[in-house]
Amino acid sequence: DGFLSRLPVSVKSYLAWIVMLYAAIVPMLSIGFMRGLGLIKNLGLHSQRSRLLPLLVGVISYVLCAVTLSDVAVATLVRKLVLAAACCEALALIVTPLWKISLHLICMGGVTAMFMLLSVAGAGQHFWALVVTILLSGALASARLHLGAHNPWQVAAGYFGGLTVAILAMIYL
């Protein structure tokens, strides 16, 4: 029910394909390519060191997506969301060499920020999406803790770091 819903299908399709290309296809192909070259050992990216190159590719890919969208006047909101994702990934890239922060929870913090700001800005009815995102964030945090992948500080830092960075990026970029 937001302004994006009023756009022609062709514009929405273009925006969806551009975001999917840069946010999913390019990073997945890059990780497969890096694995094939032996730059990363497995697709799980369990070690901090193995995460660095894929995170850098992700930041670059999101920035390229934002640049591509800068020519589309109606894509300002989408561009802001993509730049927020780039900033969250940059946070992960900066912190990862020093500490094993939860990449999953950085992402969920960013998604929570998106629904929070869309709700506050009146860009559609996103209350239930926000509630579901918060609940899913808690479930994901619990799973990461249960699996022993992270400690509570790494999970909390990921979530609140992603939330904060995404809010600041969407407001100021």
Side-chain angles (χ1 to χ4, degrees):
D1 59 348
F3 85 94
L4 288 174
S5 65
R6 292 182 223 123
L7 294 175
V9 172
S10 61
V11 173
K12 289 190 278 192
S13 296
Y14 174 77
L15 293 176
W17 278 110
I18 292 298
V19 172
M20 190 176 357
L21 172 68
Y22 286 109
I25 296 170
V26 168
M28 284 189 299
L29 290 175
S30 297
I31 288 174
F33 186 68
M34 287 181 248
R35 175 116 196 288
L37 290 175
L39 297 173
I40 56 176
K41 294 192 188 320
N42 62 54
L43 298 178
L45 304 176
H46 299 293
S47 74
Q48 289 165 263
R49 183 178 172 148
S50 67
R51 295 175 172 192
L52 296 177
L53 192 53
L55 285 170
L56 179 62
V57 168
V59 171
I60 292 168
S61 190
Y62 280 125
V63 170
L64 289 174
C65 183
V67 169
T68 302
L69 293 174
S70 66
D71 291 338
V72 182
V74 296
T76 302
L77 177 62
V78 177
R79 187 182 53 77
K80 282 183 167 283
L81 297 174
V82 168
L83 286 173
C87 290
C88 286
E89 195 138 354
L91 168 69
L93 182 61
I94 292 165
V95 174
T96 292
L98 308 170
W99 194 47
K100 190 180 177 192
I101 193 167
S102 174
L103 303 180
H104 289 86
L105 272 294
I106 288 175
C107 175
M108 291 306 292
V111 173
T112 303
M114 175 189 70
F115 286 124
M116 283 174 56
L117 290 178
L118 288 173
S119 295
V120 169
Q125 300 297 322
H126 300 288
F127 174 77
W128 289 110
L130 178 59
V131 169
V132 169
T133 301
I134 291 169
L135 292 173
L136 288 175
S137 297
L140 182 59
S142 297
R144 302 304 291 161
L145 292 170
H146 178 75
L147 291 172
H150 294 287
N151 66 43
W153 288 108
Q154 294 165 332
V155 167
Y159 184 76
F160 291 109
L163 182 76
T164 303
V165 165
I167 287 172
L168 293 174
M170 284 187 267
I171 289 173
Y172 293 109
L173 296 181

